[in-house]
Amino acid sequence: MDTDTDTGTGTHTRTGGPAVLLRRALPADAPALAEVWLRSFAAALPTVRRAHGDDAVRGWFAHLVTGCETWGAFDGEHAVGLLVLDGDELDQLYLAPDRRGRGLGDRLVTLAKERRPDGLALWTFQVNTPARRFYQRHGFTETARTDGTRNEEREPDVRYVWTP
């Protein structure tokens, strides 16, 4: 995909709502994307200790939007998902909790593969079984496991790689 917008033509939520637009995030989107991340992390990873408080996460998102290839998923004016690519690393993929299981994650990982056709790698926590199944379903292969000493959360994690 050579453009910075994916209109999502023909893709609707299961509830019949409007199509969710995927587009490059702007600096003004950082606060809304940070809120998606905060809500999603709390819902999906309740046993994982967050390494940073809410305000630090919000500041980090201001950096991600300007320093990495960051995409937002928007339902009207509301942010409902995000994707951050840092080189060949799929650094972040989070959805608003009420958007899981509706195909939005599939769209975001497809976008990541289109943007990085030579391959992608990512880390996810071992405890995040739904994410691990999701990435495996999308052709990512586990290549390593750690005890968590390399990440700020000190949570055991798994390395996945996708090669076309």
Side-chain angles (χ1 to χ4, degrees), residues 24-31 33-34 55-71 84-86 91-92:
R24 285 292 292 268
L26 304 171
D29 298 322
L33 295 176
D55 288 340
V57 169
R58 290 178 185 110
W60 174 54
F61 263 85
H63 162 74
L64 286 178
V65 169
T66 59
C68 296
E69 184 177 335
T70 303
W71 290 77
V84 178
L85 299 170
D86 187 2
D91 191 57
Q92 305 289 318

Side-chain angles (χ1 to χ4, degrees), residues 5 12 15 37 43 68-69 73 76 82 84 88 99-100 109 120 122 127-128 131-133 137-138 142 148 152 155 163:
T5 302
H12 298 274
T15 59
W37 189 96
C68 296
E69 184 177 335
L82 65 103
V84 178
D88 64 356
R99 296 305 175 111
R100 290 180 61 192
V109 81
L120 286 165
L122 64 93
V127 72
N128 196 348
R132 292 175 50 212
R133 280 194 307 258
R137 184 166 47 88
H138 284 279
E142 181 179 324
E152 294 179 308
E155 184 71 30
T163 14

Side-chain angles (χ1 to χ4, degrees), residues 56-140:
V57 169
R58 290 178 185 110
W60 174 54
F61 263 85
H63 162 74
L64 286 178
V65 169
T66 59
C68 296
E69 184 177 335
T70 303
W71 290 77
F74 297 90
D75 187 351
E77 294 187 21
H78 302 286
V80 295
L82 65 103
L83 167 70
V84 178
L85 299 170
D86 187 2
D88 64 356
E89 196 75 15
L90 194 164
D91 191 57
Q92 305 289 318
L93 193 159
Y94 283 87
L95 305 177
D98 65 336
R99 296 305 175 111
R100 290 180 61 192
R102 296 180 175 198
L104 181 54
D106 298 332
R107 288 181 62 202
L108 287 168
V109 81
T110 297
L111 175 62
K113 288 177 175 182
E114 290 171 354
R115 301 296 293 179
R116 301 296 185 273
D118 293 332
L120 286 165
L122 64 93
W123 289 98
T124 192
F125 297 120
Q126 290 181 27
V127 72
N128 196 348
T129 304
R132 292 175 50 212
R133 280 194 307 258
F134 171 81
Y135 290 120
Q136 290 167 4
R137 184 166 47 88
H138 284 279
F140 286 79

Side-chain angles (χ1 to χ4, degrees), residues 13-44:
T13 63
R14 287 187 187 164
T15 59
V20 173
L21 173 71
L22 305 182
R23 67 165 170 78
R24 285 292 292 268
L26 304 171
D29 298 322
L33 295 176
E35 294 308 315
V36 169
W37 189 96
L38 289 165
R39 289 192 335 265
S40 180
F41 194 99

